[in-house]
Amino acid sequence: MASVMESTRLNGEKNAVQSYPGFLWWALGQATNGSWKFYVWMFALTAVFLVGANAWAVQVANGMIVTNMTDHVSWGLYIANFTFMVGVAAGGVMMVIPAYLYHDRKMHDIVILGELIAIAAIVMCLMFVVADLGKPERFWHLIPFIGRFNWPMSMLTWDVIVLNGYLLLNLHICGYMLYMRYLGRQPNPSWYVPFVMVSIFWAISIHTVTAFLYCGLGGRPFWNSALLAPRFLASAFVAGPAFILLTLVVLKNVVHRPINDEPGRVLVNIVRVTILVNLVMVISEVFTEFYTGGGHTASARYLFLGLHGHYGLVPWIWTAIVFNIVAAFLFLSPWVLRYTWVLVVACTLAFVGAWIEKGMGLIVPGFVPSTLHEIVEYTPSLVEWKVTAGIWAAGMMVLTISLKMAIAAFTRHPTLEIH
Amino acid sequence: MPSNEPHVPPATNKASASLPIIGQPSTRRTALKGAALTLGLAAFGKAIWPMISIPENVSLDEFLQQHYKELSADDKQKVFARLATETKEKYGAKVTINDQRPIPGVKFAYAINLSKCNGNGKCMEACNIENNHHRGVDQSYIRVLEMTKGSMEMEHGSTTYTHDVPQDDKFYMPVQCQQCDNPPCVTVCPVEATWKEEDGIVVVDYNWCIGCRYCEAACPYHARRFNWEQPEIAAEEVNPNQGYLSNRIRPQGTMEKCHFCLHRTREGRLPACLEACPTGARVFGNINDPDSDINWILKNKRVFVLKEELGTEPSFFYFFDS
């Protein structure tokens, strides 16, 4: 065994650069092998993705008129999902921090899961932004040095930089770690630790910049709050770990990978704190809005209570609040660590709760009432739902394949101990 | 053993040897994967087929067109000629597209006498016709708020009134682009597709805008509009006197806004909304000209601007008589 490994190592060093594409090709081949469950799962995702792709093509051909967005509510389901997925991407850092800053060995073993989820989430973010563009064929105007990049003034240019930067960072970290696994070599810390440290700050920055996108707009009092960025981070650190916990449950119970329970426990303990911090911030914001009153609070009144006979978002936000509170109770109870089903319910409620709160509960009420206090309500059109489902399916495909690539690389040298 | 060779059982099935999958075993599974990939790609191609409208509607010249500020005089002539040809093809109307530039030393401002405006909406109609707006939805750059006397709170206003005007207990307040000196819409645009010109007018390069609608979210005055669909205008209704940065027919998927009728005002004429106003509520002019009407208003009336607390510094003023 030792001699095989030795020769692999030597050859690996010689061919390191040339064989990286070879490794990717090999891993892709391994990742597309699987049980019938895997093929059914991928087939279903492909079907949903194709429906979404078709709906997007129809939208490009006929114009954004096929969405239910208007000049009054000019951002809808796409930007809501974009905002939420930035949070999920940032949430992956809650595995990286324990693993690298607190040297949690068991978390270190599976930290790549958080980084792969971040990659899939960022891919979805970019797809949601493109889906929202009225002129997607002009995307090149946004490329620095080729188009005209309004940096540093436009927060959207900052978002382009931090999101693509975060994607590249995680692609590098995951690619390098898995490649070393594949070669059976010890990863060289100077090739990944600095990038991991940068990625920790970068994860915070992607969600902060995304919050600045909204809270910098003086004309939208509902968003124009200094609490927005901290709230974004708090809910990201609920939704991100909740999704990771669900993925761990699937890997353990459906795919039957042996996974230590310890990292899951760390994540539950993180969510126990962040879910409460998030609720405190929501209460703080709600108090300020309603106790003060006045015209600036019209959006909050529309969201929570309805305004002048318009109640479109009231069921959404109260669902989110109930979900968040129930999830908080479940996470704080001892059962969440004892029963898998409690964990699954708690994570699902927290995840969906954050999705509503950040999406329909944050983006849409910023536009209702409009800046001239006209009330035009918004419910997404079928095309918007199809495109959204398609992008989620694409994200899940990216995640499934990249997870399987990681498992293939990890199981290639089962006796190899990476320190 | 070279490191890029997989640890797999040797190939048992030669059926798929023709599939050039390097480093993969030639098994039935590989053949099936290849077939699934082919089918998947074919289905994807079919799914996005409606997008064929992009190459049909967007010429290579349009796709590669540079930002307005980077176009030379020659480039501009070619672009304007192309746009005129496209308008002829799509709308059946013969138009001329010009590039009216700011008059040196001129800074435009607008004022509205709220004591005179009676909410008749002629300004909106004139805007719709002058600026080649989409006819289906009565688009206009102006919204007239019917406000309740005794309050300046817009929450008590309405833009959707259909009764006779003026109502005794109401006053009327038209709102359009305020041509801010500190415009939030320009700040947020990620691609510099909108900017403020020397005469104070905020313009949009409709051929550069990517349609992200960030400016629409940023504007505190609901002054920006998005082309949710391709505008529809009958050939005989198209206003043929067009400006590249103003009233030419806008492409689907881009932003537009009030430009103080720069294709008229930069040639010494008045905005269409002002000419159409039967009450004389509207005053427009060069703020740098001490003898202009607008200067007289600013000096002799107590004027105010909308949402002054936001620091947008509008060039659009409101006042009451006496």
Side-chain angles (χ1 to χ4, degrees), chain A residues 208-279:
Chain A
T208 307
V209 167
T210 305
F212 286 178
L213 210 69
Y214 308 106
C215 72
L217 304 181
R220 306 276 172 191
F222 186 69
W223 296 338
N224 191 211
S225 152
L227 197 55
L228 201 71
R231 251 186 84 187
F232 268 33
L233 289 170
S235 69
F237 297 150
V238 175
F243 189 79
I244 296 168
L245 283 164
L246 287 173
T247 313
L248 285 174
V249 170
V250 171
L251 286 178
K252 211 171 157 186
N253 297 295
V254 183
V255 188
H256 304 298
R257 305 289 320 161
I259 288 177
N260 192 286
D261 286 338
E262 200 48 46
R265 236 173 254 146
V266 171
L267 287 171
V268 167
N269 282 326
I270 288 172
V271 175
R272 281 174 167 172
V273 177
T274 54
I275 202 166
L276 289 183
V277 172
N278 188 42
L279 278 174

Side-chain angles (χ1 to χ4, degrees), chain B residues 68-82:
Chain B
Y68 171 83
K69 289 183 183 174
E70 283 164 31
L71 297 177
S72 67
D74 264 7
D75 294 340
K76 280 181 185 170
Q77 285 320 310
K78 278 180 204 150
V79 168
F80 299 169
R82 191 189 76 225

Side-chain angles (χ1 to χ4, degrees), chain A residues 382-406:
Chain A
L382 185 60
V383 168
E384 287 173 271
W385 282 117
K386 282 180 183 171
V387 171
T388 301
I391 294 175
W392 274 86
M396 295 309 284
M397 281 200 273
V398 170
L399 181 61
T400 307
I401 294 297
S402 59
L403 274 177
K404 282 183 66 83
M405 287 168 83

Side-chain angles (χ1 to χ4, degrees), chain B residues 32-91:
Chain B
L32 285 172
K33 277 188 201 176
L37 184 69
T38 314
L39 271 176
L41 285 176
F44 182 70
K46 178 79 180 149
I48 62 163
W49 188 248
M51 278 182 60
I52 194 74
S53 67
I54 290 187
E56 275 172 6
N57 290 328
V58 181
S59 64
L60 191 63
D61 284 340
E62 183 183 333
F63 177 70
L64 296 175
Q65 186 184 321
Q66 288 297 317
H67 188 277
Y68 171 83
K69 289 183 183 174
E70 283 164 31
L71 297 177
S72 67
D74 264 7
D75 294 340
K76 280 181 185 170
Q77 285 320 310
K78 278 180 204 150
V79 168
F80 299 169
R82 191 189 76 225
L83 290 171
T85 312
E86 284 173 9
T87 310
K88 180 81 189 146
E89 284 166 6
K90 279 189 198 163
Y91 293 89

